[in-house]
């Protein structure tokens, strides 16, 4: 860790020199919160990106039918004032009167029906189909009432409505089209988007006509400016030089040094995000590739000291999940998992048994912090796998992953902060674009687990998935994420465990 600590200190020192003896104040005087992030959004439309950055943006500028209280995780009314479930596959929503979109048009049942029927249609090609493919159809039952029919019982339906179902304005989006909407989006949220430069920046301004009584409240800060930068070094430099007021996912090595500075605060909060290593067991990158062999995958699991990564790289209380999901999620039964200890000798033995006593060449793509990817690379090299790390921007890696072009890659998944394994395992194992296992039994069990309201039936199905996935070493959970935030001490900001910064609740001190 010594080299990384010195590297972190060097960044801090260089940035402070560049900032001068007395860094400029935060943009409190201009009432503009300047946010810097690494994961650039190629498309700000919430349904056409699956980046956490996109989730954060959409909760500032859009509302859904349901609001999840960040303190209690209980679902509360938002654009819907109430709901009832007359049977296991029907939800009836009563909608809130008097709500306006950012273009001044009135929010009605037509907007909800349009949104739900659009995003649940496979032809729409949304980025995360598993978030919506349980919706059969929505129908208008009045100007401010909607009935939603589900394809199957979906116990986490209201959580999905709260976290990943922002409502489109039907008339406006039909008028400007999907491309036009991505360039000038309109929602009903506490902030309105005033300018979008795809992949570069997004500007927000407080929506003065935001509806009274919202649990989100009217923002205290008038404007937000979000800028995307290529790497963590640039991000940190911007914060230290007071050209940014807020960053996150900063290098944990810099946590203590940042907190010694007079104008910046750093805080940690464990999130529901899990770092993982995806392995091409199905042979999407070539039917004869070494990763298709079970013993090779098992060797990879044994070769990585995941606990050391959690303790020394992620820090802050990071954990190593036994199963491919976040430990608190319903159905995340770690006891069903096969456990792979850190055992380099066993890894070498398995590689030899698989026919690779001298190892093999392997490209490992990654968008996580470079030192985390380097750790995995070095663990693989130590057992004879000649790993080459290919560091990519997040959006570029995701595009390649979905196209089936990555033999192994390191990524992370936050489940859209939904506390149910239906928001995790299906995304990587249901036969979709991100599935590198392509196991028909796993796909069958996932449908069973997602199609019942009986907890015992669901647990049994999901435990079967966990047992098979870990036995076959399809997908390796590496560690949970502990999000490290850095921000100006002039900013009053509260992080939450669902990894969703609520800038509409922030204010200047």
């Amino acid at each position: 860790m010594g080299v990384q600590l010195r590297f972190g200190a060097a960044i801090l020192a260089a940035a402070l020199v560049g900032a001068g003896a007395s860094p400029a104040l935060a943009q409190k005087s201009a009432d503009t919160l300047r946010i810097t992030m690494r994961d650039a959004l190629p498309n700000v439309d919430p349904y056409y990106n699956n980046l956490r950055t996109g989730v954060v943006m959409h909760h500032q500028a859009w509302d859904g039918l349901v609001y999840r209280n960040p303190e209690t995780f209980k679902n509360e009314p938002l654009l819907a004032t109430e709901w009832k479930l007359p049977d296991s596959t029907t939800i009836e929503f009563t909608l809130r009167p008097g709500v306006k979109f950012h273009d001044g048009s009135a929010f009605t049942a037509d907007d909800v029906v349009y949104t739900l029927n659009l995003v649940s249609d496979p032809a729409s090609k949304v980025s995360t189909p598993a978030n919506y493919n349980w919706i059969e159809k929505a129908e208008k039952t009045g100007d401010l009432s909607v009935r939603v029919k589900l394809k199957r019982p979906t116990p986490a339906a209201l959580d999905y409505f709260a976290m990943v179902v922002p409502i489109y304005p039907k008339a406006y989006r039909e008028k400007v089209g999907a491309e036009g909407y991505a360039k000038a989006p309109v929602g009903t949220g506490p902030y309105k988007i005033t300018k979008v430069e795809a992949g570069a920046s997004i500007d927000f301004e407080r929506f003065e006509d935001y509806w009274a009584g919202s649990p989100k409240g009217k923002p205290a800060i008038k404007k937000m400016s979000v800028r995307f930068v290529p790497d963590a070094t640039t991000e940190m430099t911007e914060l230290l030089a007071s050209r940014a007021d807020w960053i996150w996912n900063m290098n944990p090595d810099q946590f203590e040094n940042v907190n010694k500075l007079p104008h910046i605060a750093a805080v940690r909060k464990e999130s529901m995000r899990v770092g993982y290593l995806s392995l091409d067991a199905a042979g999407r990158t070539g039917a004869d590739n070494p990763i298709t062999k079970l013993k090779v995958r098992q060797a990879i699991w044994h070769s990585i000291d995941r606990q050391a990564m959690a303790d020394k790289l992620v820090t802050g209380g990071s954990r190593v999940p036994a199963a491919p999901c976040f430990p608190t999620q319903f159905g995340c039964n770690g006891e069903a998992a096969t456990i792979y200890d850190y055992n380099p000798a066993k890894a070498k033995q398995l590689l030899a048994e698989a026919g690779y006593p001298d190892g093999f060449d392997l490209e490992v793509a990654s968008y996580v912090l470079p030192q985390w990817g380097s750790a995995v690379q070095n663990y693989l090299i130590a057992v004879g796998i000649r790993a080459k790390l290919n560091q990519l921007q997040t959006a570029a890696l995701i595009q390649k992953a979905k196209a089936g072009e990555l033999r192994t890659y390191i990524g992370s998944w936050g489940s859209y902060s939904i506390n149910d394994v239906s928001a995790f395992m299906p995304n990587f194992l249901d036969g979709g674009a991100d599935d590198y296992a392509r196991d028909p039994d796993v796909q069958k069990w996932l449908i069973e687990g997602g199609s019942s309201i009986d907890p015992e039936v669901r647990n049994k199905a999901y435990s079967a998935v966990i047992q098979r996935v870990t036995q076959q070493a399809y997908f390796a959970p590496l560690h949970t994420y502990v999000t490290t935030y850095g921000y100006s001490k002039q900013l009053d900001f509260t992080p939450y465990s669902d990894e969703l910064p609520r800038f509409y609740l922030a204010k200047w001190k």
Side-chain angles (χ1 to χ4, degrees), residues 13 30 57 184 186 217 232 266 280 286 288 308 347 387 410 430 443 456 487 494 497:
M57 297 303 110
V186 164
D280 183 19
D288 59 346
I410 305 167
D430 71 352
Q443 294 170 30
E456 289 188 13
Y487 52 90
T494 301
S497 60

Side-chain angles (χ1 to χ4, degrees), residues 13 18 38 47 59 61-62 78 105 107 192 196 222 250 256 349 406 473:
R38 295 194 298 279
Y47 292 104
H59 278 269
W62 283 266
L78 197 61
S105 61
F107 162 73
K192 61 181 180 180
V196 176
K222 184 175 182 181
M250 57 184 265
E256 291 184 7
Q349 176 190 332
L406 299 180

Side-chain angles (χ1 to χ4, degrees), residues 130-142:
N131 282 350
Y132 317 105
N133 61 14
W134 43 273
I135 299 173
E136 176 67 40
K137 66 176 179 177
E139 52 195 15
K140 179 179 177 179
T141 56

Side-chain angles (χ1 to χ4, degrees), residues 158-405:
L158 289 174
D159 288 331
Y160 284 95
F161 277 116
M163 302 306 292
V164 295
V165 190
I167 301 302
Y168 280 141
K170 178 179 186 291
Y172 175 76
R173 193 174 184 279
E174 285 184 334
K175 177 183 176 182
V176 301
E179 287 188 17
Y181 188 76
K183 293 176 182 176
V186 164
T188 62
Y191 279 105
K192 61 181 180 180
I193 293 175
T194 56
K195 185 179 181 181
V196 176
E197 292 187 16
S201 63
I202 308 170
D203 291 337
F204 296 80
E205 187 172 311
R206 181 171 59 216
F207 181 37
E208 299 297 347
D209 284 336
Y210 188 53
W211 57 277
S214 168
K216 291 182 174 181
K218 186 175 284 190
I221 298 174
K222 184 175 182 181
K223 294 182 179 181
M224 289 195 305
S225 171
V226 179
R227 297 290 177 268
F228 299 114
V229 296
D231 53 51
T233 304
T234 307
E235 195 174 51
M236 177 58 72
T237 302
E238 293 296 290
L239 178 69
L240 295 170
S242 291
R243 291 188 293 267
D245 304 312
W246 187 97
I247 68 172
W248 70 344
N249 296 320
M250 57 184 265
N251 184 345
D253 288 344
Q254 298 169 3
F255 181 81
E256 291 184 7
N257 286 328
V258 166
N259 262 333
K260 294 175 183 176
L261 299 172
H263 64 298
I264 300 172
V267 297
R268 293 185 180 118
K269 191 81 172 180
E270 188 186 28
S271 72
M272 293 177 65
R273 180 166 297 277
V274 175
Y276 63 83
L277 181 66
S278 174
L279 302 169
D280 183 19
R284 291 175 66 183
T285 61
D288 59 346
N289 88 70
I291 308 300
T292 61
K293 296 178 172 59
L294 172 60
K295 288 186 176 181
V296 169
R297 298 195 301 275
Q298 291 174 329
I300 289 173
W301 280 52
H302 279 299
S303 72
I304 301 170
D305 191 344
R306 294 181 286 167
Q307 192 62 56
M309 289 185 66
D311 293 343
K312 298 178 181 179
L313 286 178
V314 186
T315 72
S318 173
R319 296 177 279 170
V320 177
C325 41
F326 187 74
T328 68
Q329 289 179 314
F330 178 88
C332 190
N333 180 11
E335 293 181 359
T338 298
I339 304 299
Y340 295 82
D341 63 336
Y342 174 53
N343 192 334
K346 178 71 171 176
K348 290 178 181 179
Q349 176 190 332
L350 287 165
L351 286 173
E353 291 174 2
Y356 300 97
D358 300 319
F360 54 90
D361 296 321
L362 180 67
E363 180 177 286
V364 180
S366 174
Y367 60 72
V368 304
L369 284 170
Q371 56 269 41
W372 298 1
S374 294
V376 172
Q377 176 190 26
N378 291 334
Y379 285 129
L380 294 176
I381 289 173
V383 300
I385 298 173
R386 295 177 293 278
K388 176 186 176 184
L389 185 64
N390 182 12
Q391 191 75 27
L392 297 171
Q393 292 291 311
T394 308
L397 187 149
I398 289 173
Q399 185 177 19
K400 286 178 174 290
K402 288 181 180 294
E405 298 172 3

